[in-house]
Amino acid sequence: MKTSSLKLIALSIGLAFSLGAAAETMSKDDYKAGETKIAADYKAARAACGAKADNQNDICVAEAKGKERVALAELESSYKPSRKAHYEVQVAKAEAAGAVARERCDDMAGNAKDVCVKEAKAAETSAKADAMAQMKTSAATATGNEKAAEARSDAKGKVAEARKDAASDKREAQYTVDKEKCGSLAGTAKAQCMDQARANMGK
């Protein structure tokens, strides 16, 4: 297989990983209907391969199996969306493309075939690594957002507590001043002054 062709395969695999898990949830009936359609499509694709001979037949079968596996992974991701399900879709696409690429290598011989197979496997491995990195990055981002939200909430709580403490300290300080002022008075005037000071303090 030519290097340019391998690059196109790697690119086609890689492009799949840039897609977000935008699948919407579906009903159980829709899921079952999807399974039935996928099975029918696979049966039709396999039947069509019968008209091909030798390695072209092998390539055709590999393509049919790959499409079936990807379709089932996408169906599962739509039915039960999750980071793991989305990852499984990307893996299915990588392995399907890799299987077809390796079958195409059978049209070659000797070193050219060996190189072709290794390049196909390398493209598949790279695609799977990208899928894993994407899943881990997504999980880390979500965790980071959760922690950030918790941190913001905690910070707000601490700010509120700090303001409350500050207000209390200010009232206490003012109460001390007011008591001191009342000290210069006597009798009823002093009693009234102290009552007012305590009222200001909230006592």
Side-chain angles (χ1 to χ4, degrees):
M1 184 179 292
K2 296 181 180 179
T3 301
S4 59
S5 297
L6 281 172
K7 288 182 178 179
L8 287 176
I9 290 174
L11 178 61
S12 67
I13 295 173
L15 286 175
F17 308 132
S18 64
L19 300 177
E24 296 180 355
T25 56
M26 60 170 60
S27 68
K28 188 172 184 179
D29 287 341
D30 288 339
Y31 178 74
K32 292 296 184 182
E35 284 186 317
T36 300
K37 182 179 185 305
I38 291 170
D41 289 345
Y42 173 66
K43 185 176 181 179
R46 280 298 300 264
C49 293
K52 301 178 185 288
D54 302 323
N55 196 45
Q56 290 304 306
N57 176 268
D58 293 339
I59 292 172
C60 181
V61 170
E63 289 177 334
K65 288 181 177 179
K67 288 179 180 178
E68 179 192 34
R69 181 176 176 188
V70 170
L72 286 172
E74 290 179 332
L75 180 66
E76 189 66 27
S77 182
S78 295
Y79 187 47
K80 296 179 180 179
S82 68
R83 292 189 190 90
K84 185 65 163 55
H86 179 60
Y87 166 74
E88 292 297 341
V89 170
Q90 310 314 317
V91 169
K93 288 179 179 180
E95 292 184 346
V100 172
R102 288 192 296 276
E103 285 296 343
R104 292 185 186 283
C105 293
D106 285 344
D107 287 330
M108 303 178 183
N111 181 254
K113 179 179 179 178
D114 293 340
V115 171
C116 177
V117 170
K118 288 185 182 300
E119 288 182 331
K121 288 182 177 179
E124 181 180 328
T125 297
S126 177
K128 288 181 179 179
D130 285 342
M132 178 60 74
Q134 183 188 56
M135 182 173 68
K136 289 183 176 180
T137 298
S138 176
T141 298
T143 299
N145 289 340
E146 290 173 2
K147 288 185 177 180
E150 290 176 2
R152 285 194 293 272
S153 178
D154 184 54
K156 288 181 179 179
K158 288 182 178 179
V159 168
E161 186 66 27
R163 288 177 177 171
K164 181 179 179 180
D165 290 343
S168 178
D169 290 344
K170 288 179 180 179
R171 288 196 301 272
E172 190 66 44
Q174 186 60 48
Y175 180 57
T176 300
V177 172
D178 290 342
K179 284 196 299 179
E180 188 63 31
K181 289 180 177 179
C182 294
S184 62
L185 304 176
T188 301
K190 182 175 182 179
Q192 291 177 339
C193 180
M194 288 300 297
D195 288 342
Q196 184 61 51
R198 282 190 288 270
N200 292 341
M201 182 62 184
K203 293 185 177 183

